[in-house]
Amino acid sequence: MKKLIALALVSATLAGCDDAPAPDAFSPEMASFSNEFDFDPLRGPVKDFSQTLMNEEDKVALRVAGTLSKEGCFDTLEFHDVENNTGASLVLNANFYLDAMTQEKRVKLQGKCQLAELSGTGLIYETNEKGFVVAARNNEAEIIYHYDSDGYPLGRTAKSKDKTLSVEATVSSDKRKKHDYTAETTLNDEVVGRANQSCRYDSHFNPLSCELVMTDLSVTPHKIQKFTIKNTISYY
């Protein structure tokens, strides 16, 4: 009798798992911005977030933060590369993102809040029928952006003159763990770098924290760097 009860409980549990709602897909804006600006995309009604990359000495190497409207448009987006002492802070104003300090126009938008043109570079973005940025071009370069069936950004391929630089990720087969991935960077078809990431997730299947290992294969001996990514996310 006890075995039958246990089997019934297991069956009920498994049935509950089957009926659980599927994770949200990634919006075209979130996926496209993260693909272009190199941060981890998030699912669901995100209100604001931060992603902080910590090196092995537990010091901040890179930080990205943003706020979004209820419609999923980025109201603000901020980058701070501590190691290279560079950064940018963008604020939405009508059909442009302005530099928060100088008020200069940095990014032109198409539609309500999708990338259209990067000011000063002549780089013009192209979208597909679903609204995802799939290409960008100017007189010197062409970039092709890749996504999976759920809209998760898998990387991009950039071509300029005699160079082709590509980053391509292979994600977990578990749709709830899209941020668990391996990625390769190639230069003119030669593998020059690898990355592996594994994460802890919240109830929206967004990463709370991740462990990232990056290997630079372009140098001898190969250089391995380990990072921890700490995220804060609030929702509407």
Side-chain angles (χ1 to χ4, degrees):
M1 179 65 71
K2 287 183 179 180
K3 288 184 178 179
L4 291 175
I5 293 173
L7 287 172
L9 289 173
V10 169
S11 298
T13 300
L14 291 175
C17 290
D18 290 339
D19 293 336
D24 291 331
F26 296 89
S27 73
E29 293 77 19
M30 175 62 77
S32 300
F33 272 71
S34 66
N35 220 354
E36 175 63 11
F37 298 115
D38 294 323
F39 62 90
D40 287 332
L42 302 174
R43 309 174 188 259
V46 175
K47 183 177 182 180
D48 58 69
F49 72 96
S50 69
Q51 298 179 5
T52 305
L53 186 71
M54 314 289 292
N55 62 23
E56 292 180 83
E57 298 176 350
D58 205 31
K59 295 181 179 179
V60 176
L62 180 70
R63 186 176 186 274
V64 179
T67 60
L68 293 90
S69 67
K70 288 185 177 180
E71 294 74 27
C73 300
F74 284 93
D75 289 329
T76 65
L77 194 57
E78 181 179 349
F79 312 88
H80 190 196
D81 186 338
V82 176
E83 292 185 338
N84 296 307
N85 195 30
T86 60
S89 184
L90 304 176
V91 179
L92 181 63
N93 188 314
N95 293 325
F96 289 89
Y97 285 104
L98 308 181
D99 184 297
M101 296 294 292
T102 66
Q103 298 299 297
E104 294 179 81
K105 294 178 179 178
R106 295 299 188 190
V107 182
K108 184 179 179 180
L109 301 177
Q110 57 177 306
K112 195 169 185 179
C113 50
Q114 185 56 287
L115 299 169
E117 184 176 350
L118 197 61
S119 301
T121 67
L123 196 67
I124 297 176
Y125 296 96
E126 299 177 10
T127 55
N128 63 11
E129 68 280 358
K130 295 181 180 180
F132 290 82
V133 168
V134 293
R137 297 178 176 86
N138 62 13
N139 293 332
E140 299 179 353
E142 176 187 56
I143 307 172
I144 304 298
Y145 302 86
H146 312 287
Y147 308 87
D148 71 5
S149 58
D150 294 313
Y152 183 84
L154 297 174
R156 56 189 176 185
T157 300
K159 298 180 180 180
S160 61
K161 297 182 180 179
D162 59 344
K163 292 184 179 180
T164 300
L165 181 66
S166 180
V167 179
E168 193 72 22
T170 301
V171 301
S172 169
S173 59
D174 188 340
K175 289 181 177 291
R176 300 167 300 176
K177 298 181 178 181
K178 287 287 185 179
H179 294 83
D180 289 13
Y181 68 78
T182 60
E184 281 192 345
T185 300
T186 60
L187 178 61
N188 292 342
D189 296 325
E190 179 182 353
V191 179
V192 295
R194 289 195 177 95
N196 294 273
Q197 179 169 287
S198 59
C199 303
R200 291 191 310 111
Y201 293 82
D202 67 9
S203 59
H204 289 268
F205 308 103
N206 285 322
L208 289 170
S209 64
C210 301
E211 300 299 322
L212 174 65
V213 179
M214 301 182 68
T215 305
D216 185 351
L217 303 175
S218 67
V219 296
T220 305
H222 298 162
K223 183 179 180 181
I224 299 176
Q225 293 179 289
K226 297 180 180 180
F227 299 94
T228 299
I229 303 172
K230 299 180 180 179
N231 297 338
T232 63
I233 309 168
S234 65
Y235 300 92
Y236 283 104

